[in-house]
Coordinates of all heavy atoms in Angstrom, one line a residue:
E945 N -10.7 1.0 4.9 CA -11.4 2.0 4.1 C -10.7 2.1 2.7 O -9.5 2.2 2.6 CB -11.3 3.3 4.8 CG -11.7 3.3 6.2 CD -10.5 3.2 7.2 OE1 -9.4 2.8 6.7 OE2 -10.7 3.5 8.4
K946 N -11.5 2.1 1.7 CA -11.0 2.1 0.3 C -10.1 3.3 0.1 O -9.0 3.2 -0.5 CB -12.1 2.0 -0.7 CG -11.6 1.8 -2.1 CD -12.7 1.6 -3.1 CE -12.2 1.2 -4.5 NZ -13.3 0.9 -5.4
I947 N -10.6 4.5 0.6 CA -9.8 5.7 0.4 C -8.4 5.6 1.1 O -7.4 6.1 0.5 CB -10.6 7.0 0.8 CG1 -9.8 8.3 0.5 CG2 -10.9 6.9 2.3 CD1 -9.5 8.5 -0.9
S948 N -8.4 5.0 2.2 CA -7.1 4.8 2.9 C -6.2 3.9 2.1 O -5.0 4.2 2.0 CB -7.3 4.3 4.3 OG -8.1 5.2 5.1
H949 N -6.7 2.9 1.6 CA -5.9 2.0 0.7 C -5.4 2.7 -0.5 O -4.2 2.5 -0.9 CB -6.8 0.8 0.3 CG -6.8 -0.3 1.3 ND1 -5.7 -1.0 1.7 CD2 -7.9 -0.9 2.0 CE1 -6.1 -1.9 2.6 NE2 -7.4 -1.9 2.8
I950 N -6.3 3.5 -1.1 CA -5.9 4.2 -2.4 C -4.7 5.1 -2.1 O -3.7 5.2 -2.8 CB -7.0 4.9 -3.0 CG1 -8.1 3.9 -3.6 CG2 -6.6 5.9 -4.1 CD1 -9.4 4.6 -4.0
E951 N -4.8 5.9 -1.0 CA -3.8 6.8 -0.6 C -2.5 6.1 -0.3 O -1.4 6.5 -0.6 CB -4.2 7.7 0.5 CG -5.3 8.7 0.2 CD -5.8 9.5 1.4 OE1 -5.3 9.3 2.5 OE2 -6.7 10.3 1.2
F952 N -2.6 5.0 0.5 CA -1.4 4.2 0.9 C -0.7 3.6 -0.4 O 0.5 3.7 -0.5 CB -1.8 3.1 1.9 CG -0.6 2.4 2.4 CD1 0.3 3.0 3.2 CD2 -0.4 1.1 2.0 CE1 1.4 2.3 3.7 CE2 0.7 0.3 2.4 CZ 1.6 1.0 3.3
R953 N -1.5 3.1 -1.3 CA -0.9 2.5 -2.5 C -0.1 3.6 -3.3 O 0.9 3.2 -3.9 CB -1.9 1.8 -3.3 CG -1.3 1.0 -4.5 CD -2.4 0.2 -5.2 NE -3.4 1.1 -5.9 CZ -4.4 0.6 -6.7 NH1 -4.5 -0.7 -6.9 NH2 -5.2 1.4 -7.2
E954 N -0.6 4.8 -3.3 CA 0.1 5.8 -4.0 C 1.5 6.1 -3.4 O 2.5 6.3 -4.1 CB -0.7 7.1 -4.0 CG -2.0 7.1 -4.8 CD -2.8 8.3 -4.7 OE1 -2.5 9.2 -3.8 OE2 -3.8 8.5 -5.4
K955 N 1.6 6.0 -2.1 CA 2.8 6.1 -1.4 C 3.7 4.9 -1.7 O 5.0 5.1 -1.9 CB 2.6 6.2 0.1 CG 1.7 7.4 0.6 CD 1.5 7.4 2.1 CE 0.4 8.4 2.5 NZ 0.9 9.8 2.2
L956 N 3.2 3.7 -1.8 CA 3.9 2.6 -2.1 C 4.6 2.7 -3.5 O 5.7 2.3 -3.7 CB 3.1 1.3 -2.1 CG 2.6 0.8 -0.7 CD1 1.6 -0.3 -0.9 CD2 3.8 0.4 0.2
Y957 N 3.8 3.2 -4.5 CA 4.3 3.3 -5.8 C 5.5 4.3 -5.9 O 6.5 4.1 -6.6 CB 3.2 3.8 -6.8 CG 2.4 2.6 -7.3 CD1 1.1 2.5 -7.1 CD2 3.0 1.6 -8.1 CE1 0.3 1.5 -7.6 CE2 2.3 0.5 -8.6 CZ 0.9 0.5 -8.4 OH 0.2 -0.6 -8.8
R958 N 5.5 5.3 -5.1 CA 6.6 6.3 -5.0 C 7.8 5.6 -4.4 O 8.9 5.8 -4.9 CB 6.2 7.5 -4.2 CG 5.2 8.4 -4.9 CD 5.1 9.8 -4.3 NE 4.6 9.8 -2.9 CZ 3.3 9.9 -2.6 NH1 2.4 10.0 -3.6 NH2 2.9 9.9 -1.4
L959 N 7.6 4.8 -3.4 CA 8.7 4.1 -2.8 C 9.3 3.0 -3.7 O 10.5 2.8 -3.8 CB 8.3 3.4 -1.5 CG 9.3 2.6 -0.7 CD1 10.5 3.4 -0.3 CD2 8.6 1.9 0.5
K960 N 8.4 2.4 -4.5 CA 8.8 1.4 -5.4 C 9.7 1.9 -6.5 O 10.4 1.1 -7.2 CB 7.6 0.7 -6.0 CG 7.8 -0.7 -6.7 CD 6.5 -1.3 -7.0 CE 6.7 -2.8 -7.5 NZ 7.3 -2.8 -8.9
E961 N 9.7 3.2 -6.8 CA 10.6 3.8 -7.8 C 12.0 3.6 -7.4 O 12.9 3.6 -8.3 CB 10.3 5.3 -7.9 CG 8.9 5.5 -8.6 CD 8.6 7.0 -8.6 OE1 9.5 7.8 -8.2 OE2 7.5 7.4 -9.0
K962 N 12.3 3.4 -6.1 CA 13.7 3.2 -5.6 C 14.0 1.9 -5.0 O 15.1 1.4 -5.0 CB 14.0 4.3 -4.6 CG 14.1 5.7 -5.3 CD 14.7 6.7 -4.3 CE 14.9 8.1 -5.0 NZ 15.5 9.1 -4.0
K963 N 12.9 1.2 -4.4 CA 13.1 0.0 -3.7 C 12.0 -1.0 -4.1 O 10.9 -0.7 -4.4 CB 13.1 0.2 -2.2 CG 14.0 1.2 -1.6 CD 15.5 0.7 -1.8 CE 16.4 1.8 -1.2 NZ 17.9 1.4 -1.4
R964 N 12.4 -2.3 -4.0 CA 11.4 -3.4 -4.2 C 10.6 -3.4 -2.9 O 11.1 -3.2 -1.8 CB 12.0 -4.7 -4.4 CG 12.7 -4.9 -5.8 CD 13.3 -6.3 -5.9 NE 14.5 -6.3 -5.1 CZ 15.1 -7.5 -4.7 NH1 14.5 -8.6 -5.0 NH2 16.2 -7.5 -4.0
V965 N 9.3 -3.5 -3.0 CA 8.4 -3.5 -1.9 C 7.5 -4.7 -1.9 O 6.9 -5.0 -2.9 CB 7.5 -2.2 -1.9 CG1 6.7 -2.2 -0.6 CG2 8.4 -1.0 -2.0
Y966 N 7.4 -5.4 -0.7 CA 6.6 -6.6 -0.6 C 5.8 -6.5 0.7 O 6.3 -6.2 1.8 CB 7.5 -7.9 -0.5 CG 8.4 -8.0 -1.7 CD1 9.8 -7.9 -1.6 CD2 7.8 -8.3 -3.0 CE1 10.6 -8.0 -2.7 CE2 8.6 -8.4 -4.1 CZ 10.0 -8.3 -4.0 OH 10.8 -8.3 -5.1
L967 N 4.5 -6.7 0.6 CA 3.7 -6.6 1.7 C 2.7 -7.8 1.8 O 2.4 -8.5 0.9 CB 2.9 -5.3 1.8 CG 1.8 -5.0 0.7 CD1 0.5 -5.7 0.9 CD2 1.6 -3.5 0.6
I968 N 2.2 -8.0 3.1 CA 1.0 -8.8 3.3 C -0.1 -7.9 3.9 O 0.2 -6.9 4.5 CB 1.4 -10.0 4.3 CG1 2.0 -9.5 5.6 CG2 2.2 -11.0 3.6 CD1 2.1 -10.5 6.6
T969 N -1.3 -8.4 3.7 CA -2.4 -7.7 4.3 C -2.8 -8.4 5.6 O -2.4 -9.6 5.8 CB -3.6 -7.5 3.3 OG1 -3.9 -8.8 2.9 CG2 -3.2 -6.6 2.2
A970 N -3.7 -7.8 6.4 CA -4.2 -8.4 7.6 C -5.6 -8.0 7.8 O -6.2 -7.3 7.0 CB -3.3 -8.1 8.8
T971 N -6.2 -8.3 9.0 CA -7.6 -8.1 9.2 C -8.0 -6.7 9.1 O -9.2 -6.4 8.7 CB -8.0 -8.7 10.6 OG1 -7.1 -8.3 11.6 CG2 -7.9 -10.3 10.5
H972 N -7.2 -5.7 9.6 CA -7.6 -4.3 9.5 C -7.7 -3.9 8.0 O -8.4 -2.8 7.8 CB -6.6 -3.5 10.2 CG -6.9 -3.2 11.6 ND1 -7.7 -2.2 12.1 CD2 -6.6 -3.9 12.7 CE1 -7.8 -2.2 13.4 NE2 -7.1 -3.3 13.8
D973 N -7.2 -4.6 7.1 CA -7.2 -4.2 5.7 C -8.5 -4.6 5.0 O -8.7 -4.1 3.9 CB -6.0 -4.8 5.0 CG -4.7 -4.3 5.6 OD1 -4.6 -3.1 5.9 OD2 -3.7 -5.0 5.8
W974 N -9.3 -5.4 5.6 CA -10.6 -5.7 5.0 C -11.7 -5.5 6.1 O -12.8 -6.0 5.9 CB -10.7 -7.0 4.4 CG -10.2 -8.2 5.2 CD1 -8.9 -8.6 5.4 CD2 -11.0 -9.1 6.0 NE1 -8.8 -9.7 6.2 CE2 -10.1 -10.0 6.6 CE3 -12.3 -9.3 6.2 CZ2 -10.5 -11.1 7.4 CZ3 -12.8 -10.3 7.0 CH2 -11.9 -11.2 7.6
C975 N -11.4 -4.7 7.1 CA -12.4 -4.3 8.1 C -13.2 -5.5 8.6 O -14.4 -5.6 8.5 CB -13.4 -3.3 7.5 SG -14.4 -2.4 8.7

């Protein structure tokens, strides 16, 4: 869901202020 991705990315940006963050996506991420 786009809204779920948008909310999650906001959390990632806050974490990225202190740590490097690397992710991969998977099938649930494009429904």
Side-chain angles (χ1 to χ4, degrees):
E945 311 95 344
K946 189 170 185 177
I947 183 61
S948 296
H949 277 297
I950 289 171
E951 290 178 1
F952 183 70
R953 188 173 63 174
E954 290 173 355
K955 299 176 189 299
L956 290 175
Y957 275 121
R958 290 196 293 272
L959 178 59
K960 195 172 188 287
E961 291 175 3
K962 292 190 175 181
K963 304 293 179 183
R964 288 179 289 158
V965 183
Y966 303 109
L967 65 77
I968 52 171
T969 56
T971 49
H972 268 272
D973 298 320
W974 50 277
C975 195

